[in-house]
């Protein structure tokens, strides 16, 4: 985005202490932590409104860990990092549960656990290895060597501490509890650090901020070149049926290595998402919020194959843009050479597991220089 010479006349200039850009899960949590735990005076702003990005469009699965099976995470990042990231998802859940308990709204949450399911023999073997690695780390799970749902899957791992939440209301509730001033419809289009403050150019206001925290996830590469190649925009698609008379799956269900996901909504509908793995040319590297008929047709076929009993018509379809990180771990840090501009981005489809704890660490890093541990973006330097 740019702002024309004529529009500039309407831009007020304003000094702020701590500015958060992006009012999704990460931004609202960062604003809350900066205001309440660090006693900063926080303003939060968004190009649109609260939770209109991925945070208000996701399936609401609070599923622990990364988007890869646990033993694969150990192979890829090392045991210490895999364990630490798992603990970060536990911390995020603790934050969400606290926000829900103290919420001014009634935020629905279902402590139903999750069930990872295998569609092929190869995936079943992977699940068994994942189950073994989780058991060795004393993480509560139940492994099934047969399909616990009797729907044609081959094996399953139940994670009883996972849950399903209404994500849009959760984010609105975090914003409401934070106490920060919120400025919607205010896109950031440029920012620069001048010594001990940051000049932030947004559509309505030119801020002079002590600290800035970017929580712009998939959209971050449009804001600063630092994020190009590190945060990769990726589209995801969902559908939801009309209300059903039965509950087809009593958990948050996942299959095909997590690419497919399904659950019952709080008003008795069936939600199904995924399918992008078959259409990467069209679904990767885009910030366009639009339905892809091929992905939606794949979802329709999946529904018929595994859930033939779900006969209610599809009521609604939607898409959303996720920010995948290039190495699969979230990024918390400050921009190189610009220590007053922090960020918490790149949740790789697992923001409900990782955005809370990452935002918390990112604020601590920005204000106190503390390491963000496994998710510290200094690993790219
Ligand atoms: C269909 C779908 C299903 C998903 N399912 C799950 C799930 O079940 N479980 C799970 O854990 N995760 C899921 N995810 C991923 C999860 O939603 C994200 O990881 C999480 O919401 C990221 O939160 P965020 O705050 O970083 O990003 P966002 O919610 O995208 O927030 C970024 C904000 O930045 C704002 N912004 C961007 N650029 C600018 C700018 N220039 N100026 C001002 N503001 C700007 C945007 O408007 C937006 O509000 C899913 C995602 C999708 C799309």
């Amino acid at each position: 985005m740019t702002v024309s010479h004529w529009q500039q006349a309407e831009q007020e200039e304003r000094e702020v202490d701590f500015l958060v850009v992006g009012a999704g899960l990460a931004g609202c949590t960062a604003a809350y932590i900066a205001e309440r735990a660090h006693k900063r005076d926080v303003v939060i702003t968004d190009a649109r409104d609260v939770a209109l990005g991925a945070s208000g469009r996701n399936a609401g699965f609070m599923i622990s860990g990364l988007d890869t099976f646990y033993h694969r995470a150990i192979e890829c990042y090392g045991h210490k990092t895999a364990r630490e990231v798992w603990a970060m998802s536990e911390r995020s859940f603790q934050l969400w549960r606290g926000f829900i308990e103290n919420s001014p709204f009634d935020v629905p949450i279902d402590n139903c656990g999750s069930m990872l399911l295998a569609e092929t023999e190869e995936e079943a073997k992977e699940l068994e290895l994942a189950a073994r690695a989780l058991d060795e780390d004393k993480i509560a799970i139940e492994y099934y060597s047969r399909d616990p749902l009797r729907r044609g899957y081959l094996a399953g791992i139940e994670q009883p501490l996972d849950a399903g939440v209404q994500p849009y209301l959760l984010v609105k509730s975090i914003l409401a509890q934070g106490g920060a001033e919120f400025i919607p419809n205010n896109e950031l289009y440029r920012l620069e650090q001048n010594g001990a403050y940051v000049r932030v150019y947004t559509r309505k206001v030119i801020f002079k901020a002590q600290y800035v925290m970017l929580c712009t996830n998939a959209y971050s590469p449009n804001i600063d070149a630092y994020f190009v190649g590190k945060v990769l925009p990726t589209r995801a698609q969902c559908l939801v049926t009309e209300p059903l008379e039965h509950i087809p799956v009593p958990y948050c269900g996942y299959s095909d290595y997590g690419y497919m996901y399904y659950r019952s909504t709080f008003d008795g509908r069936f939600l199904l998402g995924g399918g992008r793995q078959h259409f990467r040319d069209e679904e990767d590297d885009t910030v366009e919020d639009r339905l892809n008929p091929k992905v939606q047709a794949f979802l329709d076929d999946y529904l018929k194959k595994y859930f033939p009993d779900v006969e209610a018509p599809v009521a609604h379809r939607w898409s959303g843009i996720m920010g995948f990180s290039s190495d699969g771990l979230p990024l918390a840090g400050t921009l190189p050479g610009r220590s007053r501009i922090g960020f918490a981005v790149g949740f790789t489809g697992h923001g409900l597991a990782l955005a809370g704890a990452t935002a918390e660490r990112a604020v601590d890093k920005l204000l106190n220089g503390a390491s963000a541990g496994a998710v510290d973006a200094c690993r790219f330097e």
Side-chain angles (χ1 to χ4, degrees):
M1 178 193 144
T2 59
V3 164
S4 78
H5 169 65
W6 323 115
Q7 293 162 337
Q8 269 182 324
E10 282 191 356
Q11 283 175 307
E12 58 163 312
E13 295 213 9
R14 194 171 154 188
E15 288 193 19
V16 296
D17 177 26
F18 193 105
L19 179 71
V20 177
V21 183
L25 268 173
C28 292
T29 308
Y32 179 94
I33 303 262
E35 180 95 28
R36 301 287 178 195
H38 296 270
K39 310 289 177 224
R40 307 306 304 207
D41 196 3
V42 182
V43 172
I44 176 166
T45 193
D46 196 286
R48 295 173 283 177
D49 207 333
V50 55
L52 291 193
S55 298
R57 294 161 180 271
N58 62 59
F61 289 25
M62 288 166 49
I63 300 242
S64 310
L66 291 160
D67 79 329
T68 185
F69 288 151
Y70 192 65
H71 66 297
R72 291 284 175 204
I74 292 173
E75 277 168 29
C76 190
Y77 309 111
H79 201 152
K80 185 172 166 283
T81 295
R83 193 68 190 87
E84 182 181 335
V85 176
W86 193 277
M88 286 182 74
S89 55
E90 291 166 345
R91 171 61 184 152
S92 295
F93 295 173
Q94 190 186 29
L95 286 168
W96 307 150
R97 289 182 192 286
F99 289 130
I100 290 169
E101 219 172 283
N102 298 311
S103 176
F105 317 118
D106 184 14
V107 182
I109 180 165
D110 183 358
N111 294 309
C112 54
S114 67
M115 180 68 81
L116 283 72
L117 293 148
E119 290 184 21
T120 61
E121 289 290 354
E122 190 195 343
E123 193 182 0
K125 281 186 200 139
E126 286 289 296
L127 270 190
E128 195 179 346
L129 292 172
R132 214 173 287 161
L134 288 159
D135 262 342
E136 277 168 16
D137 276 356
K138 306 208 174 348
I139 293 170
I141 57 134
E142 182 87 27
Y143 172 68
Y144 298 86
S145 58
R146 296 214 179 113
D147 180 7
L149 297 181
R150 296 166 194 253
R151 287 184 176 274
Y153 297 107
L154 301 177
I157 293 179
E158 185 182 352
Q159 297 181 172
L161 301 180
D162 293 345
V165 69
Q166 210 283 30
Y168 180 62
L169 281 181
L170 170 63
V171 183
K172 288 182 77 163
S173 147
I174 302 170
L175 181 67
Q177 290 172 68
E181 179 191 352
F182 178 49
I183 307 176
N185 304 315
N186 190 39
E187 188 169 0
L188 174 160
Y189 61 96
R190 185 153 70 95
L191 80 170
E192 61 206 24
Q193 183 172 332
N194 298 328
Y197 66 89
V198 187
R199 233 173 143 69
V200 185
Y201 297 81
T202 63
R203 191 174 71 77
K204 295 182 196 166
V205 186
I206 298 171
F207 295 100
K208 187 176 167 186
Q210 294 295 316
Y211 295 98
V212 177
M213 175 61 68
L214 297 174
C215 295
T216 42
N217 209 27
Y219 310 90
S220 306
N222 292 338
I223 291 174
D224 196 277
Y226 170 80
F227 298 107
V228 176
K230 295 188 184 75
V231 179
L232 315 167
T234 306
R235 187 166 52 207
Q237 317 233 352
C238 288
L239 61 77
V240 77
T241 67
E242 295 290 354
L244 302 170
E245 280 174 9
H246 69 296
I247 294 178
V249 189
Y251 322 93
C252 289
Y254 255 128
S255 70
D256 195 7
Y257 299 87
Y259 281 111
M260 304 304 301
Y261 41 96
Y262 25 86
R263 62 176 274 204
S264 293
T265 62
F266 300 99
D267 57 354
R269 298 161 194 266
F270 189 66
L271 183 156
L272 171 66
R276 68 180 179 81
Q277 69 274 28
H278 301 293
F279 307 96
R280 286 184 183 280
D281 287 358
E282 292 159 82
E283 299 305 291
D284 289 359
D285 198 20
T286 178
V287 288
E288 213 184 325
D289 167 23
R290 100 180 150 71
L291 294 177
N292 181 340
K294 293 180 209 161
V295 175
Q296 290 293 331
F298 183 86
L299 293 179
D300 291 338
D301 289 345
Y302 191 93
L303 197 56
K304 278 189 211 124
K305 180 173 175 191
Y306 286 101
F307 301 94
D309 49 314
V310 174
E311 286 170 340
V314 172
H316 186 59
R317 301 173 189 268
W318 71 96
S319 74
I321 310 298
M322 308 179 287
F324 274 46
S325 78
S326 56
D327 67 356
L329 294 174
L331 281 82
T334 53
L335 290 179
R338 289 170 283 172
S339 59
R340 288 181 175 258
I341 307 177
F343 54 85
V345 297
F347 303 110
T348 314
H350 276 222
L352 278 165
L354 298 166
T358 304
E360 184 173 50
R361 291 182 180 200
V363 172
D364 201 21
K365 178 158 181 114
L366 176 61
L367 292 174
N368 303 324
S371 165
V375 298
D376 200 306
C378 68
R379 68 187 184 272
F380 288 104
E381 280 161 24

